[in-house]
Amino acid sequence: MPRVKLKELQSYEFRARLQVRITDINIANHLGHVELIGMMHEARHQFFTRLGVTELSLGADNVGIVIIDLVTNYLLEVFAGDIIDIDLQIDDMTERSFRVYYRLLRGGEIIALAETGIAPFIYGSKQAVAVPAAFTQALAAYRDERVTGR
């Protein structure tokens, strides 16, 4: 099976900074893959918080998210105490899904690239739904604020 090779985007719209904890280290003495995904989750949570939404409420009652796919390319080892910058970009918005792109850096060097496909989901009725207008409006307002500084 051929390897999936992700490409770095030209720009990202949000950055989270996290420190690798000793509990994030696996038996090979570097950052474990499950913990790396957890760090991406934390960065996405911080971005959503900045947008004024959560993973359980994308700005519309009862509309949360479900991860529909995940791809990660690991490029460098990461160790306890390292400071990781996680850049995110939301793109490829359709009526019923969007993608979050991640670039993980240590001191300016790319340690991993990743992306997740996300679908809005109502957990109570177990159904995928359209991306709420409140979410797209919050994202547009965030982007406008970045451009205008207001």
Side-chain angles (χ1 to χ4, degrees):
M1 182 167 99
R3 182 173 179 218
V4 175
K5 293 187 181 180
L6 300 177
K7 294 183 188 218
E8 178 182 13
L9 299 181
Q10 289 187 0
S11 64
Y12 294 82
E13 58 195 342
F14 182 82
R15 175 170 279 182
R17 178 168 279 178
L18 302 173
Q19 183 169 14
V20 178
R21 306 164 306 165
I22 192 65
T23 56
D24 297 327
I25 301 304
N26 65 18
I27 196 165
N29 203 30
H30 58 231
L31 179 63
H33 62 279
V34 171
E35 291 76 13
L36 179 107
I37 302 306
M39 293 177 88
M40 291 166 44
H41 184 173
E42 173 63 29
R44 187 177 62 245
H45 167 76
Q46 289 182 22
F47 189 15
F48 280 15
T49 298
R50 176 62 182 82
L51 295 176
V53 301
T54 71
E55 293 187 350
L56 290 176
S57 177
L58 283 182
D61 289 339
N62 301 321
V63 178
I65 67 165
V66 65
I67 304 296
I68 55 178
D69 60 44
L70 164 69
V71 178
T72 305
N73 290 165
Y74 302 97
L75 304 171
L76 294 173
E77 287 184 300
V78 178
F79 305 99
D82 285 351
I83 303 297
I84 305 301
D85 288 320
I86 305 176
D87 296 335
L88 289 85
Q89 178 70 33
I90 294 176
D91 207 347
D92 298 333
M93 185 87 62
T94 71
E95 180 185 338
R96 298 179 68 86
S97 69
F98 58 92
R99 298 196 75 69
V100 179
Y101 295 88
Y102 308 80
R103 177 178 62 189
L104 294 90
L105 305 157
R106 178 188 54 218
E109 281 189 288
I110 299 174
I111 59 168
L113 294 171
E115 60 183 72
T116 52
I118 296 178
F121 192 76
I122 299 175
Y123 281 90
S125 60
K126 303 284 188 210
Q127 68 182 37
V129 296
V131 176
F135 178 76
T136 56
Q137 291 165 357
L139 183 59
Y142 171 80
R143 289 173 172 167
D144 184 57
E145 180 182 304
R146 289 185 69 229
V147 170
T148 64
R150 291 185 264 144

